[in-house]
Amino acid sequence: MQNKTKQKQEENQRNEANKVQVGEEEMAGLARPQFVLFGSSIVQMSFSNGGWGAILADIYARKADIVLRGYSGWNSRRALQVLHQVFPKDAAVQPSLVVVYFGGNDSIHPHQTGLGPHVPLPEYVDNMTKIALHLKSLSDKTRVIFLTAPPVDEDLMNTTLGNVFDMVRTNEACGVYSQACMKLCDEIGVKGVDLWSSIQQTDNWKNCFTDGIHLSPQGSKVVVKEILKVIKEAEWEPSLDCRFMPVEFPEDSPYDMVGNDGKTINICNFDFNKTALWDY
C-alpha cells in the first residue's frame, strides 16, 4: 500500500513538473526545484575534493539544481547582513530547499584585538533564528535544513593552519555551538543535522578532515548521508526525496540507447552507481 502511495505521489509530481504556462507572448519552460547551499567555507568548498555539494548534484541530476552560495571565513553575523540579497522575498522562483551552515567560525575564541569571526553564543542563536524565519517565509514550500558546526581535529588544524591564522578553535567550543543549533532547530521547527556528533561517531573520524577543519571525501560522505536521511524521513509535500521526484524530459524517444534486443531503452532514471553508493 505504501509503495502504491509513493508511486502515485511520484506520478503527480511528474505531471506537475511537466506543466507549462502559456502567456500572451511566451511559453514558460520547465523549472527544476532549486536546492541552495548557504554557508561558510564548508559550503564554498563543497564542490571540490569529492565534496558533498557535488555528490548531491550527482544524486539529483535531472531532478533539482544544486545552487552554491558559500562564503569562506564567514560567520552568522555576515550571513545575516546579506540574507535579503541572497534570498529576496520578491524573487520569481524561490528555493525548494535551503541547507544552511554557520557556526564553526562563530565558535572561534574572541581575539584580543576585538577583530575576527567570533560571535557570542546568544547572538549566534539569535542570528540563526532570524535566518531560519526569513527562509521559511520565502514560500510555503521552502524547506530548511541546518547543519551544525562539525568537530575539529585540533592537532592537525594547528599543524596546517597555525602559521596562517592567529585563532583558537576548539572541539569543545564547536560542540557547544552545535548543541545550541540543534536546540534552536527543535524550538522553531527546522530540520537539523548534528555534524559534531555524527562525524565523531564514525570510525577514524579524524580522517574526515583535510586540515583539521575542512572536509575530506570521507567527511563529505557523512554530510550527504545525514542530509539524505533528513529528507527521506521528512513528511514534506511535495517530497524532496530524489527517488520520488520527477525526472526532467522523461519521455521515450527513438534517439534513446538501443538494447541487445534492437529496441530503445529509456535510461533517464537509471541509478547506475548511485544505488551502490547510497543506501536510501
Side-chain angles (χ1 to χ4, degrees):
M1 185 68 180
Q2 185 177 7
N3 288 337
K4 290 184 178 179
T5 302
K6 285 292 187 181
Q7 290 173 359
K8 184 64 176 178
Q9 181 185 52
E10 180 181 5
E11 180 182 352
N12 291 339
Q13 286 185 243
R14 180 179 294 111
N15 291 338
E16 186 67 25
N18 287 335
K19 287 181 179 179
V20 293
Q21 298 177 348
V22 181
E24 294 182 357
E25 297 181 355
E26 63 180 5
M27 177 182 292
L30 296 176
R32 296 180 186 175
Q34 291 187 354
F35 293 2
V36 183
L37 314 183
F38 181 50
S40 55
S41 57
I42 285 179
V43 172
Q44 180 172 325
M45 300 177 183
S46 66
F47 272 73
S48 62
N49 195 34
W52 59 278
I55 296 173
L56 287 175
D58 177 49
I59 291 174
Y60 281 90
R62 294 180 68 168
K63 297 184 177 183
D65 288 332
I66 310 300
V67 182
L68 190 62
R69 292 295 182 269
Y71 307 92
S72 290
W74 280 34
N75 57 16
S76 63
R77 189 180 293 164
R78 293 191 73 181
L80 192 59
Q81 290 173 346
V82 303
L83 184 62
H84 288 260
Q85 294 174 254
V86 179
F87 300 98
K89 285 192 175 184
D90 60 352
V93 177
Q94 295 294 359
S96 297
L97 174 66
V98 184
V99 180
V100 182
Y101 164 68
F102 293 101
N105 293 324
D106 298 67
S107 74
I108 292 174
H109 289 204
H111 196 271
Q112 59 186 0
T113 63
L115 303 173
H118 171 73
V119 173
L121 186 62
E123 182 188 345
Y124 167 72
V125 172
D126 185 58
N127 291 343
M128 297 299 284
T129 300
K130 292 175 180 176
I131 290 172
L133 294 179
H134 175 75
L135 294 175
K136 291 176 68 176
S137 74
L138 295 177
S139 81
D140 59 0
K141 293 184 179 180
T142 296
R143 313 304 181 187
V144 181
I145 299 175
F146 274 5
L147 307 180
T148 77
V152 293
D153 180 347
E154 294 179 25
D155 292 336
L156 180 58
M157 174 188 65
N158 292 330
T159 299
T160 58
L161 301 175
N163 63 339
V164 179
F165 302 111
D166 182 11
M167 67 175 179
V168 177
R169 182 167 178 169
T170 66
N171 199 34
E172 180 181 4
C174 287
V176 171
Y177 279 68
S178 175
Q179 291 173 9
C181 183
M182 291 301 293
K183 183 173 183 286
L184 168 64
C185 289
D186 289 338
E187 292 173 349
I188 64 175
V190 167
K191 301 295 184 182
V193 171
D194 183 358
L195 290 182
W196 191 80
S197 297
S198 59
I199 287 179
Q200 290 185 93
Q201 290 168 359
T202 64
D203 294 335
N204 302 314
W205 69 268
K206 292 186 177 182
N207 291 333
C208 289
F209 301 98
T210 58
D211 55 12
I213 294 177
H214 300 106
L215 297 171
S216 67
Q218 179 177 330
S220 280
K221 288 179 181 179
V222 176
V223 178
V224 172
K225 179 181 178 181
E226 295 299 321
I227 290 175
L228 293 180
K229 180 180 178 182
V230 168
I231 293 174
K232 177 182 178 181
E233 295 176 354
E235 296 180 354
W236 290 334
E237 293 292 343
S239 174
L240 299 182
D241 188 327
C242 69
R243 297 170 302 169
F244 307 114
M245 292 180 69
V247 178
E248 187 174 86
F249 301 119
E251 64 275 0
D252 293 333
S253 167
Y255 306 118
D256 285 338
M257 301 295 292
V258 179
N260 292 329
D261 60 358
K263 299 179 181 179
T264 56
I265 302 174
N266 188 335
I267 62 173
C268 71
N269 207 19
F270 272 30
D271 286 325
F272 291 112
N273 66 322
K274 294 175 187 175
T275 53
L277 289 173
W278 305 107
D279 180 11
Y280 296 110

